[in-house]
Amino acid sequence: MRTKFFLITMVLVLTGGFLNSCSKSDATLPTISFTQAEGVADSQGEYTMRGHIHSDIRLRKVIITKQGAATPFLTDDSTANNKTEYDFTYLITGITTDTYMIVDIYNQDNGKKTVQFLIHP
């Protein structure tokens, strides 16, 4: 009888752990891909960042910040809004040293995905 109780308890614990690890919020975070692994700015310090964003839940906004900056470099809350697929093109200026751009992608379920993209001068 104890063995049967133990086995039932183990099955419930393992099932609960599996269901918790596959939560809806993890599965529905936006994904992003860039057309290049890293960028190289032109002689004026400009680089056009291109790629694709996918989200199972409609997007709310994209915020791009230069690493270490207190304020966002760019906030896109109109073009990306309400889309689930989004090809983006963002002009990044002022690149004089190796600069990581922090890209925060928000969906309408308050899910957030953060990635970094390196741009060389």
Side-chain angles (χ1 to χ4, degrees):
M1 193 59 137
R2 286 183 155 204
T3 305
K4 185 177 180 181
F5 177 75
F6 177 75
L7 288 175
I8 291 172
T9 303
M10 288 303 295
V11 168
L12 291 174
V13 168
L14 292 175
T15 303
F18 174 75
L19 292 175
N20 190 32
S21 69
C22 297
S23 68
K24 180 181 175 185
S25 62
D26 291 343
T28 58
L29 288 179
T31 59
I32 185 170
S33 60
F34 297 97
T35 56
Q36 297 180 322
E38 295 180 347
V40 178
D42 64 17
S43 59
Q44 286 79 36
E46 298 179 347
Y47 176 77
T48 301
M49 185 187 309
R50 292 184 171 95
H52 182 80
I53 297 172
H54 168 80
S55 179
D56 291 336
I57 298 172
R58 294 187 184 277
L59 295 170
R60 187 164 40 109
K61 63 183 172 181
V62 176
I63 297 176
I64 299 176
T65 307
K66 288 183 178 178
Q67 186 174 35
T71 58
F73 176 79
L74 178 138
T75 299
D76 180 0
D77 56 2
S78 58
T79 309
N81 192 27
N82 287 321
K83 295 181 180 174
T84 57
E85 297 286 332
Y86 179 49
D87 290 320
F88 63 88
T89 302
Y90 297 123
L91 178 62
I92 309 298
T93 59
I95 304 298
T96 57
T97 62
D98 282 352
T99 304
Y100 279 98
M101 303 305 291
I102 312 301
V103 182
D104 294 316
I105 309 160
Y106 296 85
N107 66 26
Q108 292 185 6
D109 200 23
N110 289 325
K112 175 184 171 187
K113 174 77 172 198
T114 300
V115 297
Q116 293 184 359
F117 185 81
L118 177 61
I119 303 174
H120 302 284

